[in-house]
């Protein structure tokens, strides 16, 4: 049963007086549970317990941490239909998506469990002593990775399970040996509480220290207090550029600055060559209509910007794309605030000089359902107007018609950092593909050939993170097992006796 309380070091607590409710966006009504926002005292308790837990948890063996992570996955499964129903009523997303995302969340937990079963992930290096080396002897040196300390995780609005309470950030931090304090996303506080209860049960069953996990409900101030707390040592965030940047700035200005791994906005440019359009324009239009509207466009990898070089086929392709896009059934957005943000940003872009709306769903829609939009603009207008470069979070895409290859390259080179970039092309076409790849790879974290950016495979070779503002540190990924690297730091042991070395550095 959902209590509406905060989960502080394994206990459910509601000392505060500020209350809120989540929304059912499909019915456009509030859900019944009343949630209580965390107090400063409860934040202090959560962080202090995490700090105490860290002293023990960092020494818990990889095998035991793996048992803990697998137990979390089992407990999430055991939440059964209550979790699925809470997820769908708090997000407006369909049951199939809820079940799929639950599977992905459990798989992520299990893949981090498998990773830390052995110590290989630390990439330990050993340099044997050379006492007789001339002119100076060399000491025994061993380098490994150790956890940073308590991590604050901000749950994402658009992934109530896979990037929230037990999502990729939490799973990777716990795998690394870091306790976690989650600030649940206020749009799905019930889903978060259920998952928090699963983590608490798993921690109890596997004998983990009490403060290893907490989850708090709250607004902006709770997030600020958490990131400012001296015992919090790193932050994971998924959401808006405004939110991520604000937290990054707070973390940088602390007496002890800490890393913030924020995954933020992206318009995911897709370059479609004229040759590809003339050869298979209809297929590309159909595929892209599906990608633009997938999940009501509420994915960080949504293709918000299509770039091409204008010729006699371009307008037909854009008309086809618009036709296919608006033919798909409109879907509900996550929350009235996300819907109003979509309407505002879409209007903001489509009202700019030179922008033409080619297709927009114009039927009467239920509240919180989004009208998909395809618009177009010339390359020169796009270059001249930074407003056209902003993310429109929802089922929207802007097609930019460049006058020639040089203008296309200029646009690519001037783009802000992106999570993904896609090239739709024919290998023996008229454009210099290597030139496009060179320009694109400099702006993105993942480059796709003849595919769509939506659908992020969870595997070691996935890079999910790109140059700012796609993320705050493009050297790391938020998806796949390498995400663990965000929560550890290197340390060298010099001339250490075997008895004082960690088990995995002995020998
Ligand atoms: P958000 O507004 O950035 O909020 C994410 C989390 O950060 C929430 O818990 C929020 O708390 C907190 N937060 C926001 N600003 C903060 C600040 N200045 N200081 C401390 N905490 C702060 O993102 P969202 O609610 O998920 O969605 C809003 C918009 O973000 C969307 O419409 C979309 O444009 C964008 N978005 C992008 C992606 C992407 O992957 N590209 C994903 C999700 C959202 P409160 O809710 O209490 O403010």
């Amino acid at each position: 049963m959902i209590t509406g309380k905060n989960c502080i070091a394994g206990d459910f607590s509601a000392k505060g007086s500020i209350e809120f409710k989540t929304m059912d966006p499909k019915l456009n009504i509030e859900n019944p549970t009343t949630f209580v926002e965390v107090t400063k005292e409860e934040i202090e308790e959560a962080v202090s317990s995490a700090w105490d837990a860290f002293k023990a948890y960092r020494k818990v063996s990889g095998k035991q941490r793996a048992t803990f992570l697998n137990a979390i996955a089992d407990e999430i499964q055991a939440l059964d239909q209550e979790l699925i129903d809470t997820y769908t009523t708090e997000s407006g997303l369909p049951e199939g998506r809820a079940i799929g995302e639950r599977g992905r969340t459990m798989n992520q937990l299990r893949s981090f469990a498998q990773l830390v079963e052995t110590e290989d992930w630390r990439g330990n290096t050993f340099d044997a002593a050379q006492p007789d080396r001339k002119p100076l002897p060399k000491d025994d040196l061993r380098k490994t990775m150790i956890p940073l300390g308590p991590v604050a995780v901000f749950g994402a609005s658009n992934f109530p399970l896979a990037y929230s309470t037990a999502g990729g950030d939490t799973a990777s931090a716990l795998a690394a040996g870091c306790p976690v304090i989650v600030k649940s996303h206020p749009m799905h506080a019930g889903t978060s509480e259920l998952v928090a209860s699963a983590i608490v049960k798993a921690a109890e069953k596997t004998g983990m220290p009490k403060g290893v996990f907490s989850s708090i409900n709250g607004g902006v101030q709770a997030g600020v207090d958490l990131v400012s707390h001296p015992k919090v040592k790193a932050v994971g965030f998924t959401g808006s550029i405004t939110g991520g940047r604000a937290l990054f700035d707070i973390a940088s200005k602390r007496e002890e600055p800490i890393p913030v791994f924020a995954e933020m906005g992206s318009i995911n440019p897709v370059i479609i060559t004229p040759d590809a359009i003339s050869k298979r324009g209809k297929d590309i239009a159909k595929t892209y209509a599906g990608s633009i509207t997938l999940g009501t466009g509420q994915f960080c990898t949504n293709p918000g910007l299509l770039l091409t070089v204008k010729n006699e086929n371009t307008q037909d392709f854009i008309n086809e794309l618009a036709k296919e896009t608006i033919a798909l059934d409109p879907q509900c957005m996550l929350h009235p605030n996300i819907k109003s943000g979509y309407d505002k940003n879409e209007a903001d872009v489509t009202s700019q000089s030179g922008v033409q709306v080619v297709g927009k769903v114009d039927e009467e829609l239920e509240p919180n359902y989004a009208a998909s939009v395809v618009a177009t603009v010339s390359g020169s207008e796009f270059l001249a107007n930074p407003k056209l470069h902003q993310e429109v979070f929802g089922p929207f895409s802007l097609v930019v018609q460049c006058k020639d290859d040089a203008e296309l390259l200029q646009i690519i080179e001037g783009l802000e950092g992106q999570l993904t970039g896609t090239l739709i092309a024919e290998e023996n076409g008229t454009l210099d593909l290597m030139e496009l790849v060179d320009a694109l790879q400099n702006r993105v974290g993942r480059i796709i050939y003849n595919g769509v950016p939506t659908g992020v495979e969870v595997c070691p070779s996935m890079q999910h993170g790109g140059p700012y503002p796609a993320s705050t540190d493009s050297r790391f990924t938020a998806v796949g097992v390498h995400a663990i690297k965000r929560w550890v730091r290197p340390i060298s042991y010099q001339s250490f006796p075997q008895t004082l070395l960690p088990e995995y550095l002995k020998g």
Side-chain angles (χ1 to χ4, degrees):
M1 200 196 86
I2 302 169
T3 64
K5 296 181 179 179
N6 301 279
C7 169
I8 309 290
D11 296 321
F12 284 84
S13 164
K15 294 182 180 164
S17 55
I18 304 172
E19 297 178 339
F20 69 98
K21 291 186 173 189
T22 61
M23 283 288 297
D24 181 331
K26 272 197 166 159
L27 301 179
N28 204 28
I29 54 168
E30 283 187 332
N31 290 311
T33 309
T34 300
F35 293 89
V36 181
E37 285 199 8
V38 73
T39 62
K40 283 189 189 297
E41 186 193 334
E42 286 168 314
I43 292 179
E44 181 57 44
E45 216 180 313
V47 179
S48 297
S49 304
W51 184 250
D52 290 342
F54 179 51
K55 292 171 196 160
Y57 190 59
R58 67 186 169 194
K59 291 192 169 180
V60 164
S61 73
K63 280 198 188 321
Q64 286 171 289
R65 294 200 306 282
T67 308
F68 176 34
L69 293 167
N70 282 325
I72 297 173
D74 294 343
E75 293 296 336
I76 288 174
Q77 179 76 63
L79 290 168
D80 207 12
Q81 196 59 30
E82 188 184 6
L83 179 63
I84 300 301
D85 292 344
T86 309
Y87 173 113
T88 52
T89 48
E90 287 186 333
S91 68
L93 295 167
E95 179 160 322
R97 160 78 190 267
I99 292 168
E101 199 181 321
R102 178 182 61 184
R104 177 177 172 155
T105 308
M106 295 190 309
N107 286 341
Q108 287 177 166
L109 286 157
R110 294 198 195 285
S111 67
F112 281 109
Q114 197 182 10
L115 181 77
V116 298
E117 279 271 355
T118 73
E119 299 294 347
D120 295 350
W121 67 272
R122 291 184 203 268
N124 296 337
T125 49
F126 299 81
D127 280 281
Q130 295 173 12
D132 301 328
R133 192 180 70 171
K134 300 282 183 259
L136 290 170
K138 181 182 175 188
D139 287 343
D140 179 285
L141 274 158
R142 292 151 196 246
K143 186 150 99 173
T144 187
M145 291 288 180
I146 59 170
L148 292 177
V151 171
V153 170
F154 287 72
S157 60
N158 58 342
F159 277 96
L161 290 171
Y163 289 93
S164 287
T165 307
D169 288 353
T170 298
S172 53
L174 290 176
C178 298
V180 169
I181 306 118
V182 168
K183 180 188 171 299
S184 72
H185 199 288
M187 291 179 195
H188 45 75
T191 306
S192 182
E193 187 188 319
L194 287 174
V195 175
S197 70
I199 300 176
V200 169
K201 270 193 195 155
E204 283 168 2
K205 283 186 179 170
T206 56
M208 294 299 135
K210 219 168 177 281
V212 73
F213 177 80
S214 290
S215 173
I216 61 173
N217 300 316
V220 166
Q221 192 54 47
V224 171
D225 290 346
L226 199 53
V227 174
S228 309
H229 198 293
K231 286 177 178 161
V232 168
K233 299 299 178 191
V235 179
F237 172 93
T238 307
S240 66
I241 295 177
T242 320
R245 181 62 200 237
L247 296 173
F248 178 85
D249 288 344
I250 291 166
S252 316
K253 287 182 187 139
R254 288 169 36 135
E255 193 175 328
E256 179 199 358
I258 54 169
V260 174
F261 298 101
E263 195 251 278
M264 305 176 290
S266 193
I267 50 174
N268 304 296
V270 179
I271 299 154
I272 311 180
T273 65
D275 312 291
I277 286 178
S278 66
K279 196 154 183 201
R280 48 196 167 94
K282 275 192 173 242
D283 289 346
I284 297 168
K286 199 172 180 58
T287 305
Y288 265 82
S291 180
I292 292 164
T293 54
L294 190 71
T296 329
Q298 301 164 119
F299 287 126
C300 45
T301 52
N302 194 52
L305 182 70
L306 309 187
L307 304 167
T308 192
V309 178
K310 188 176 177 173
N311 71 7
E312 66 283 1
N313 299 321
T314 315
Q315 194 57 50
D316 284 350
F317 168 72
I318 300 172
N319 292 343
E320 185 70 16
L321 178 71
K323 189 186 94 189
E324 292 284 356
T325 303
I326 64 175
L328 296 168
D329 284 341
Q331 303 292 327
C332 186
M333 298 201 88
L334 293 160
H335 192 272
N337 292 351
I338 299 274
K339 168 68 165 60
S340 57
Y342 172 63
D343 289 343
K344 182 187 160 301
N345 291 331
E346 182 263 306
D348 202 18
V349 169
T350 52
S351 62
Q352 298 299 309
S353 160
V355 177
Q356 182 207 341
V357 172
V358 188
K360 177 171 181 171
V361 171
D362 67 354
E363 66 199 77
E364 185 77 8
L365 295 177
E366 296 288 322
N368 305 322
Y369 278 61
S372 307
V373 175
V374 171
T376 189
V377 73
S378 70
S380 57
E381 294 275 10
F382 184 81
L383 279 168
N385 188 350
K387 280 205 166 175
L388 300 179
H389 302 214
Q390 68 173 306
E391 180 182 36
V392 179
F393 192 67
F396 172 88
S397 202
L398 180 67
V399 187
V400 178
Q401 304 186 50
C402 304
K403 67 174 189 291
D404 53 25
D405 309 10
E407 190 172 72
L408 174 61
L409 267 180
Q410 194 187 350
I411 288 178
I412 298 168
E413 283 165 1
L415 286 172
E416 290 190 314
Q418 305 288 334
L419 288 171
T420 74
T422 304
L423 183 58
I424 308 283
E426 297 296 308
E427 269 184 58
N428 298 315
T430 49
L431 294 190
D432 181 342
L433 297 189
M434 193 44 90
E435 200 171 36
L436 293 174
V437 171
D438 282 347
L440 199 54
Q441 72 177 7
N442 200 36
R443 307 308 313 131
V444 309
R446 174 164 60 107
I447 187 157
I448 301 140
Y449 187 73
N450 278 340
V452 290
T454 42
V456 180
E457 186 71 40
V458 183
C459 65
S461 303
M462 176 53 66
Q463 172 60 23
H464 193 68
Y468 185 87
S471 43
T472 44
D473 195 334
S474 60
R475 294 168 300 171
F476 296 89
T477 178
V479 172
V481 287
H482 293 157
I484 198 172
K485 294 179 183 172
R486 297 172 298 170
W487 319 118
V488 290
R489 66 177 174 86
I491 183 169
S492 291
Y493 289 79
Q494 185 167 342
S495 301
F496 256 60
Q498 291 284 319
T499 48
L500 291 180
L501 282 170
E503 255 341 287
Y504 51 83
L505 281 185
K506 287 183 178 165

